[in-house]
Amino acid sequence: MSRKYVIAGNWKMNKNPAEAVALINELKPLVADAACDVVVAVPFVDLPAALEAVKGSKIGVAAQNCHWEKSGAFTGEISAEMLKSMGVGYVIIGHSERRTYFGDTDVTVQKRVRAALDAGLTVILCVGEYLEQREQGVTGEVCAMQTKIALGGVSADEMSRVIIAYEPVWAIGTGRTATARQADEVCALIRATLAGLYGRSVADSTVIQYGGSMNAANAAELLAQKDVDGGLIGGASLKPADFAAIVAAAK
Ligand code: PEP
C-alpha cells in the first residue's frame, strides 16, 4: 500500500487575482521538485488567474466550497459543474469555517460531496472536533460521524477522488497544533472508519491529511506519522517559503 502525500494550501478569503498570480509565480520554482501533490485553494474570483498561472507546473487548483445544485435560483452560489467547466480539479468541502460561520451541516456537506464527485472533481473533505468535544472525550465519535454522513452514498470507486482532512477546530488559525500523536490517532481512527465502510484496501489507499496550524517548523514531525498523508495549510500557505518548506517535508 502506498499513498502519495498531498499538501494543500487553503488561502481562505485572501489575495485578489493579481496577488494570487504573484504568489503562485513565487511558489512555482520552490515546489518544482515536489515529491508530493501540491494544491492551492484560492477564492472563487482568483480561479481563472490561478488556473492560468499554474500552467506548466505541478500545482493543482482547488475551490473552497461548492453548491450541491447544478444551477438555479441560488444567489451568490457556485456549482461544482461550474468549477469543473473552468478546469478546476479539487474542492474543499465542510471546512470548519463553513460549518461554524455559514451554516454548513453534515447533511449539506454530504450533498456538496455528492455534487462535486458527480461533476468529476476531487474532494478535500474536512472533519474535526471542537475543543469542548475533545475535552469530553468524544473526538473519535465526532470525526467518525462526520466522515460517515459526508460519505453517505459515495461508492468505493469514487473514494479515489476523496481526500479527508482531519482538522481539529481548536487548532485552526490558533497557532495551537495537535501533537503528532493526537493527529496520528485521529487520522488512524478515520482510516478505521473508512475500513468499516469500504474495506481495508480503500481505507489504506485514501489520503488523510492533518490541518491546524501546520507550519514549516512542525510539518516534518506531523507528516512522519503513519496515518498522516499530508496537510491542509491555512496561514502558512500564504508565505511561499514556508509553504514550500512544508511541501519539502512531505516525502
Ligand atoms: C485551514 O484553514 O484549513 C487551516 C488548517 O488553517 P491554519 O493552518 O491557519 O490553522
Side-chain angles (χ1 to χ4, degrees):
M1 166 267 313
S2 74
R3 296 184 294 269
K4 198 170 185 190
Y5 284 104
V6 181
I7 302 294
N10 175 16
W11 292 8
K12 314 195 188 202
M13 195 175 71
N14 292 293
K15 307 291 177 189
N16 65 31
E19 292 166 341
V21 171
L23 203 164
I24 289 169
N25 283 340
E26 234 186 293
L27 190 60
K28 275 202 287 195
L30 303 180
V31 300
D33 298 325
C36 61
D37 288 346
V38 180
V39 178
V40 290
V42 306
F44 286 127
V45 295
D46 293 350
L47 287 169
L51 286 162
E52 191 58 35
V54 299
K55 277 188 182 155
S57 79
K58 289 183 174 172
I59 304 172
V61 175
Q64 299 173 10
N65 189 26
C66 68
H67 196 262
W68 52 86
E69 293 292 343
K70 289 191 170 122
S71 61
F74 300 100
T75 303
E77 294 296 315
I78 304 286
S79 75
E81 300 274 326
M82 290 170 176
L83 297 174
K84 184 66 184 175
S85 75
M86 302 175 70
V88 171
Y90 301 78
V91 60
I92 296 175
I93 294 181
H95 191 279
S96 69
E97 287 154 15
R98 300 297 319 170
R99 295 181 192 250
T100 304
Y101 307 133
F102 302 103
D104 227 358
T105 65
D106 289 328
V107 173
T108 57
V109 166
Q110 183 194 81
K111 290 162 82 164
R112 294 181 207 280
V113 168
R114 182 69 267 148
L117 292 174
D118 285 345
L121 298 170
T122 292
V123 169
I124 301 176
L125 165 66
C126 301
V127 300
E129 81 286 3
Y130 287 101
L131 184 58
E132 298 74 12
Q133 294 169 325
R134 175 161 283 272
E135 287 171 348
Q136 282 176 30
V138 295
T139 297
E141 285 93 329
V142 168
C143 293
M145 184 190 70
Q146 290 180 353
T147 301
K148 283 183 187 174
I149 297 175
L151 296 178
V154 173
S155 71
D157 282 352
E158 288 172 323
M159 283 302 292
S160 62
R161 286 188 290 117
V162 175
I163 294 167
I164 297 182
Y166 165 53
E167 298 212 302
V169 182
W170 47 270
I172 297 178
T174 58
R176 184 177 166 190
T177 317
T179 64
R181 184 159 171 210
Q182 287 171 326
D184 197 42
E185 262 171 17
V186 183
C187 289
L189 183 141
I190 293 168
R191 203 175 302 288
T193 303
L194 296 179
L197 293 172
Y198 298 105
R200 199 70 250 172
S201 153
V202 167
D204 283 345
S205 51
T206 301
V207 170
I208 303 179
Q209 302 172 316
Y210 166 78
S213 300
M214 192 187 274
N215 58 40
N218 61 28
E221 191 189 358
L222 287 159
L223 294 169
Q225 303 309 305
K226 180 172 158 291
D227 281 294
V228 178
D229 309 321
L232 183 55
I233 326 294
S237 70
L238 296 170
K239 300 175 200 148
D242 289 22
F243 189 61
I246 298 170
V247 168
K251 57 174 184 255

